[in-house]
Amino acid sequence: MGEQLPDWQSKVLKDNQLSAQYLVGARKWYNPVADLLAEHQNSAGRALLVAVNGSQGSGKSTLCDYLCAYLEAEHQLSCLALSLDDFYLTAPQRRQLAIDVHPLFATRGVPGTHDMGLLSRTLDSLLAGEATRIPRFDKAIDDRVPEADWEQVEAGVQIVLLEGWCLGASSQPIDALVTPVNSLESLEDEDGRWRNYVNAVLSEKFSPLYQRVDEWLMLQAPSFDCVFRWRLEQEQKLARRRQGEGLMDEAQIGRFIQHYQRLTEHCLQCLPPRVNHLFRLDVDRTVQSYSLNPGVRV
């Protein structure tokens, strides 16, 4: 691009291992949405909760990082990005869930493997404008970091961006759970106990969270077929940061994403007409179009 970038833009590119080309699309598609969020926050006069849905590897974390940096630089708003991933149950808690309910719950990811109480308490504090300790999950060790190492956020956050691959997913009709969607479900959840438990958690624990959200954004993948390649690229990026530590190989990723397939496809089918801001992606994660639906609610 050949231009001198503001410090915040340079930092976004460096932190997310991106070329300057990313800014071309970000300025076109994301800046106007950030301006609308700022306008909403100013008129509301309180902290806003913005939820971001997107399949694995679709760019949710990068989008939230960009939006936060833009809102702080251009609108002087205090903004915080949270990931649903940081609220996974600890490894021992998931192992116990695997014993008590189903072995597949040893693997993080689906509803049922999150500490929704911790998430609710964290949001309570942030949205009340209080100083808050933010939990972090280390995927390289597959466990939550010790509480002493949690991030301390100062009081006065005005916009909270919460991103997660299954945010916005609703429970499915029981009949829809009968037929397995992949070999993981057919071979390792033959009686449907795992997916029925996930479905119940969506209804009981995620629906109350959705009622708190002020605005919904979605990065819509073309199909679930993209997720394997995107997730592999995500894992390779993580490995570069960790000097190879915690890297899953292609076979492991292939099995891993089967845990996500049912709800990812459900979101791709059902969520687009129910979000406020819809970004449609191509196979290279480039935004192709945008739709604004100001009055809808997930």
Side-chain angles (χ1 to χ4, degrees), residues 1-297:
M1 293 172 64
E3 62 181 292
Q4 182 64 41
L5 299 176
D7 289 345
W8 70 269
Q9 292 183 10
S10 297
K11 185 176 187 304
V12 168
L13 296 180
K14 180 180 178 181
D15 290 350
N16 293 280
Q17 303 177 38
L18 297 167
S19 72
Q21 185 63 29
Y22 175 83
L23 297 173
V24 176
R27 290 166 178 166
K28 176 180 179 180
W29 301 108
Y30 300 151
N31 287 11
V33 172
D35 294 338
L36 288 175
L37 295 178
E39 195 176 303
H40 187 170
Q41 195 281 330
N42 288 334
S43 63
R46 58 172 176 81
L48 295 186
L49 176 59
V50 180
V52 179
N53 170 279
S55 60
Q56 284 202 324
S58 60
K60 300 181 299 298
S61 297
T62 303
L63 168 61
C64 290
D65 193 19
Y66 181 86
L67 289 175
C68 272
Y70 178 89
L71 287 163
E72 291 177 350
E74 302 299 327
H75 292 280
Q76 293 73 55
L77 290 171
S78 176
C79 185
L80 176 68
L82 291 180
S83 173
L84 187 62
D85 291 353
D86 284 318
F87 295 88
Y88 283 131
L89 296 170
T90 64
Q93 288 172 324
R94 283 182 282 118
R95 286 195 293 269
Q96 189 61 51
L97 190 65
I99 293 169
D100 294 341
V101 181
H102 194 285
L104 285 175
F105 283 113
T107 300
R108 69 177 189 264
V110 297
T113 63
H114 302 91
D115 189 334
M116 299 302 286
L118 176 60
L119 174 58
S120 181
R121 293 190 297 274
T122 303
L123 291 176
D124 286 345
S125 179
L126 288 169
L127 298 177
E130 301 169 355
T132 307
R133 293 182 65 80
I134 306 299
R136 295 301 181 197
F137 190 91
D138 187 342
K139 293 180 180 178
I141 63 171
D142 196 28
D143 207 352
R144 193 183 299 163
V145 302
E147 190 168 347
D149 296 329
W150 291 6
E151 178 185 354
Q152 178 69 38
V153 174
E154 295 181 4
V157 171
Q158 294 163 292
I159 296 182
V160 177
L161 293 164
L162 175 63
E163 56 93 353
W165 74 275
C166 61
L167 283 179
S170 57
S171 58
Q172 296 179 273
I174 299 301
D175 290 350
L177 303 176
V178 174
T179 304
V181 299
N182 54 36
S183 60
L184 181 95
E185 290 192 357
S186 62
L187 298 176
E188 300 184 49
D189 187 38
E190 190 174 358
D191 62 0
R193 188 159 36 97
W194 174 68
R195 52 190 184 267
N196 274 278
Y197 187 94
V198 170
N199 204 52
V201 170
L202 277 173
S203 178
E204 296 166 12
K205 300 291 181 65
F206 276 68
S207 290
L209 168 64
Y210 299 164
Q211 301 310 308
R212 309 184 68 169
V213 174
D214 294 288
E215 296 268 339
W216 286 89
L217 280 67
M218 182 181 188
L219 295 173
Q220 184 187 15
S223 70
F224 184 75
D225 294 338
C226 302
V227 175
F228 174 78
R229 179 167 64 87
W230 291 356
R231 186 61 181 82
L232 180 61
E233 292 171 358
Q234 190 179 53
E235 192 74 8
Q236 291 168 341
K237 184 179 287 190
L238 174 65
R240 286 195 294 271
R241 289 175 176 167
R242 296 281 184 174
Q243 289 78 50
E245 180 186 2
L247 178 64
M248 287 191 284
D249 61 28
E250 291 191 21
Q252 289 171 317
I253 290 173
R255 181 183 183 278
F256 182 65
I257 65 171
Q258 287 191 52
H259 293 78
Y260 296 72
Q261 182 173 351
R262 173 178 291 276
L263 287 185
T264 299
E265 292 180 335
H266 183 48
C267 286
L268 290 175
Q269 178 182 359
C270 299
L271 263 188
R274 298 164 53 204
V275 297
N276 306 109
H277 307 277
L278 177 66
F279 300 98
R280 297 180 185 86
L281 308 180
D282 65 13
V283 295
D284 295 316
R285 285 173 296 209
T286 301
V287 178
Q288 295 300 297
S289 64
Y290 164 75
S291 296
L292 172 64
N293 301 300
V296 299
R297 293 283 299 181

